[in-house]
Amino acid sequence: MENRISKLFFLGSGVLAASVPVAAQICRGDLTGNNRMNIIFIMSDDHSYQTVGAYGQALNKTPNIDRIGNEGVVFERGYVANSISGPSRACMLTGKHSHKNGFINNSTVFDGSQQTFPKLLQKVGYKTAIVGKWHLVSQPTGFDYWNILTGQGDYYNPNFIDNGVRKQYKGYATDITTDLAMQWLDKNKDNGQPFCLLVHHKAPHRTWMPDAKDLGAYDNVTFPLPENFYDDYKGRQAAEAAEMRIDRDMDMGYDLKMYTDDGDINYERPDLHNYAHSLYRSRMDSTQQAAWDAYYNPIIEKFKKAKLSGKALAEWKYQRYMRDYCSVINSVDRNIGRLLKYLEDNKLLDNTLIVYTSDQGFYMGEHGWFDKRFMYEESFRTPILARLPKGAKHVRDRHLVQNIDFAPTFLELAGAKVPEDIQGESLLPILKGDNVKDWRNSLYYHFYEYPGEHNTARHYGVFDGRYKLMHFYKGADQWEFYDLKNDPKEMHNLYGDPKYKKEIDAAMAELKRLQVYYDDPLTD
Ligand code: SGN
Ligand code: CA
């Protein structure tokens, strides 16, 4: 198999890399037997690394997600290519940047006739399935079984499309998605074929609705306010223009569930209240509704009496947001625990690669924000933890990896040929614990959804692990440059600072190199 990493490295530095040991030979050998590795690719929606225990911020606990990393690899530098759902999913399925797979923003329709890793796995004998969030508009292709949430999906009593047939399931989305995954495994685990199962959760996407059993789970916790919660966005046009501020743009009713008809509460986004009504008043059954009201109604009453304003109100909103969000994560983690137990009980842990990730990161009040989209760390970075049986254990990896790398990883593991046009690099050598020295030295990023919700300007950029150069070109017109060693919160735009001329010039050259290497035409 061609060594794709050396190709990238060669272009990057002019040095032809020594050959990297690849696991393909081993996997190819496995093709002759019937013990090829299965793949379970778990992804949640908008799960920040800040709220994964393994990433060490101690905001909440996620023992089951952490277990995947403890018994495998925690990627400390995992990033996405385009920080928004549909585009990120398309990057993962194809192993290509957005301009190559064509799904540039959430209004695009995925061209399902193109090459994807599930299709290539089918060709080498894998059974493939996806349950949960899909969000690519067109019907899934390349899956023997698919049962997907409609659109963004609902938390309570969600609608699914089961291989083309619409149905509604009673219960909570994260439980249902996990049930569907285990039901499919039950049917397929003994058929002699290796499988690749995508378990893609809706949680913890906006509006962060906890399962009844998790309501109040964080009521005794006061979350530390991020040091840049009161960011003034000085020197950063796009950040200033973005509409994702907790104090100004997060709605008290729709987002924070202080939803009443009595006119006592000021709402930031009354235009969202039809949605609020459907989520909090008409979707639940009477038992679910009773549990919901028993939790939120007293909070609404207390909130009305407190008559908060200014910073006290902003910080109240932040605490409520964090409590709901982390409560939703409790269910994700619990369900991953269920799935791991299922794999253990069914003797599948020793022949299944398990990956946990999110479609992108999320702001937990940093810069005063919720949402994602930007190439700033909190949304560019994403949790990636992976457990390869007999592979590396207890490893905290610092290579620059990106969501375009999943496709070649799975293909290489399966012993399939990685097509030339795939842009990602296989993570298999890292997962096996090889001493991987020749690796990409920078990441490319391109976000397109402007005009759009949250008003985030279009931008592209490059990051080498320390320096980040970004160009905002539609919705703002500005270059930004950060030295993350000295400014990890990305508060000081150094673009044009003569002290950094050398570093900025180098980043600009690297950006241009990557735009040629990845063949980004810079048009949409
Ligand atoms: C919805 C949300 C946005 C979110 C996008 C994209 N609004 O439109 O806040 O940024 O999804 O999220 S909502 O009123 O519908 O909740 S993504 O993860 O699916 O890309
Ligand atoms: Ca998302």
Side-chain angles (χ1 to χ4, degrees):
M1 180 169 290
E2 185 216 2
N3 184 340
R4 300 179 46 76
I5 293 166
S6 61
K7 183 176 67 178
L8 180 70
F9 193 69
F10 177 67
L11 284 167
S13 63
V15 179
L16 185 60
S19 78
V20 177
V22 265
Q25 293 118 7
I26 294 167
C27 296
R28 277 215 193 101
D30 287 347
L31 267 175
T32 57
N34 57 6
N35 59 344
R36 275 188 295 168
M37 199 68 81
N38 305 304
I39 298 162
I40 295 197
F41 181 32
I42 311 169
M43 182 161 71
S44 49
D45 190 3
D46 293 0
H47 190 181
S48 60
Y49 60 82
Q50 304 91 306
T51 53
V52 173
Y55 289 103
Q57 295 210 3
L59 295 175
N60 61 328
K61 289 197 169 63
T62 53
N64 295 299
I65 297 172
D66 297 354
R67 180 182 166 192
I68 297 171
N70 288 338
E71 296 176 7
V73 179
V74 177
F75 289 90
E76 295 189 337
R77 286 176 164 172
Y79 291 87
V80 295
N82 186 350
S83 177
I84 187 155
S85 168
S88 169
R89 288 159 208 273
C91 290
M92 293 190 208
L93 281 173
T94 60
K96 296 175 188 172
H97 280 278
S98 303
H99 60 276
K100 287 288 180 193
N101 64 52
F103 199 102
I104 60 167
N105 61 41
N106 269 347
S107 315
T108 324
V109 177
F110 186 68
D111 170 9
S113 69
Q114 68 184 297
Q115 168 185 289
T116 61
F117 79 77
K119 287 185 190 171
L120 295 168
L121 289 178
Q122 280 180 325
K123 280 197 185 145
V124 294
Y126 273 64
K127 275 265 182 205
T128 61
I130 178 167
V131 293
K133 185 163 170 177
W134 168 248
H135 208 205
L136 290 171
V137 190
S138 56
Q139 286 202 343
T141 54
F143 296 98
D144 297 298
Y145 169 73
W146 52 273
N147 199 348
I148 56 168
L149 287 155
T150 51
Q152 290 280 9
D154 276 292
Y155 281 105
Y156 280 83
N157 309 324
N159 295 320
F160 274 73
I161 312 175
D162 176 355
N163 291 274
V165 181
R166 288 176 82 93
K167 41 176 85 158
Q168 184 175 17
Y169 290 87
K170 192 171 148 27
Y172 188 72
T174 312
D175 293 341
I176 295 164
T177 302
T178 309
D179 290 346
L180 293 173
M182 296 193 301
Q183 282 160 19
W184 185 80
L185 285 172
D186 257 345
K187 284 199 196 117
N188 288 279
K189 65 182 174 358
D190 299 322
N191 71 1
Q193 264 179 286
F195 62 78
C196 174
L197 170 63
L198 280 52
V199 186
H200 287 188
H201 292 293
K202 180 228 164 48
H205 191 273
R206 193 180 184 189
T207 60
W208 321 294
M209 290 175 72
D211 186 358
K213 53 168 93 70
D214 298 310
L215 289 166
Y218 289 87
D219 281 2
N220 296 326
V221 177
T222 302
F223 291 91
L225 205 64
E227 64 185 61
N228 58 356
F229 184 75
Y230 291 111
D231 193 351
D232 60 6
Y233 313 108
K234 216 168 121 226
R236 289 158 288 148
Q237 286 174 12
E240 175 150 36
E243 294 167 358
M244 42 199 258
R245 297 187 198 172
I246 291 174
D247 63 352
R248 184 191 66 190
D249 305 314
M250 183 178 270
D251 186 68
M252 198 57 88
Y254 176 67
D255 288 310
L256 297 181
K257 297 96 182 167
M258 302 297 102
Y259 175 68
T260 72
D261 296 321
D262 59 17
D264 287 356
I265 295 179
N266 286 328
Y267 293 114
E268 297 81 347
R269 296 285 310 276
D271 56 307
L272 293 173
H273 284 200
N274 282 344
Y275 294 129
H277 188 88
S278 82
L279 296 178
Y280 310 136
R281 291 288 176 274
S282 64
R283 260 211 100 74
M284 300 180 201
D285 67 22
S286 54
T287 313
Q288 293 164 339
Q289 189 74 55
W292 188 267
D293 292 343
Y295 178 67
Y296 284 107
N297 284 350
I299 301 175
I300 294 175
E301 289 315 309
K302 205 170 154 199
F303 173 73
K304 286 199 283 195
K305 287 204 189 92
K307 301 207 182 311
L308 302 174
S309 61
K311 285 191 169 179
L313 178 60
E315 291 173 27
W316 186 93
K317 291 177 80 175
Y318 167 73
Q319 293 298 336
R320 268 271 32 105
Y321 163 52
M322 292 298 291
R323 284 176 185 154
D324 284 347
Y325 184 99
C326 289
S327 301
V328 173
I329 300 293
N330 277 13
S331 168
V332 175
D333 191 68
R334 182 168 58 245
N335 274 288
I336 288 172
R338 281 177 69 210
L339 189 54
L340 291 175
K341 180 167 184 328
Y342 175 94
L343 297 175
E344 206 155 9
D345 291 349
N346 287 278
K347 314 242 172 318
L348 289 166
L349 262 192
D350 291 341
N351 59 354
T352 304
L353 167 70
I354 305 168
V355 173
Y356 181 76
T357 191
S358 169
D359 63 342
Q360 14 67 206
F362 213 69
Y363 294 93
M364 306 272 83
E366 300 88 356
H367 301 283
W369 286 339
F370 64 105
D371 214 67
K372 54 261 178 174
R373 296 159 192 267
F374 279 101
M375 198 191 167
Y376 301 126
E377 282 300 278
E378 290 82 0
S379 45
F380 178 31
R381 228 181 111 182
T382 199
I384 303 179
L385 305 92
R387 178 189 188 280
L388 178 71
K390 301 186 193 68
K393 296 216 176 335
H394 311 294
V395 167
R396 300 195 69 94
D397 183 79
R398 303 275 297 161
H399 291 92
L400 290 168
V401 309
Q402 200 161 29
N403 58 351
I404 52 172
D405 298 337
F406 293 123
T409 305
F410 300 154
L411 292 171
E412 192 170 3
L413 182 69
K417 185 171 163 19
V418 180
E420 265 295 296
D421 60 354
I422 282 194
Q423 297 182 316
E425 306 297 334
S426 170
L427 304 175
L428 207 53
I430 299 174
L431 295 177
K432 286 179 61 208
D434 292 345
N435 183 13
V436 180
K437 288 206 181 101
D438 303 322
W439 191 251
R440 65 161 72 86
N441 39 32
S442 64
L443 296 169
Y444 184 60
Y445 181 86
H446 199 155
F447 172 83
Y448 298 81
E449 193 166 293
Y450 181 92
E453 204 178 354
H454 301 294
N455 203 40
T456 307
R458 286 189 192 198
H459 57 293
Y460 52 74
V462 62
F463 179 54
D464 72 358
R466 173 166 179 182
Y467 298 110
K468 193 182 288 180
L469 176 70
M470 295 182 247
H471 183 210
F472 293 90
Y473 66 94
K474 209 179 225 184
D477 180 12
Q478 191 176 25
W479 288 86
E480 295 187 10
F481 183 79
Y482 298 93
D483 175 358
L484 273 91
K485 189 164 175 220
N486 295 316
D487 178 23
K489 307 288 175 200
E490 298 163 294
M491 301 292 285
H492 306 290
N493 177 10
L494 298 171
Y495 190 78
D497 185 334
K499 286 203 283 298
Y500 281 87
K501 184 172 184 329
K502 203 171 98 235
E503 290 80 3
I504 294 168
D505 287 350
M508 191 69 83
E510 180 65 356
L511 176 65
K512 292 201 168 126
R513 182 188 75 79
L514 288 181
Q515 288 178 329
V516 172
Y517 180 69
Y518 290 124
D519 192 25
D520 186 349
L522 300 176
T523 56
D524 49 69

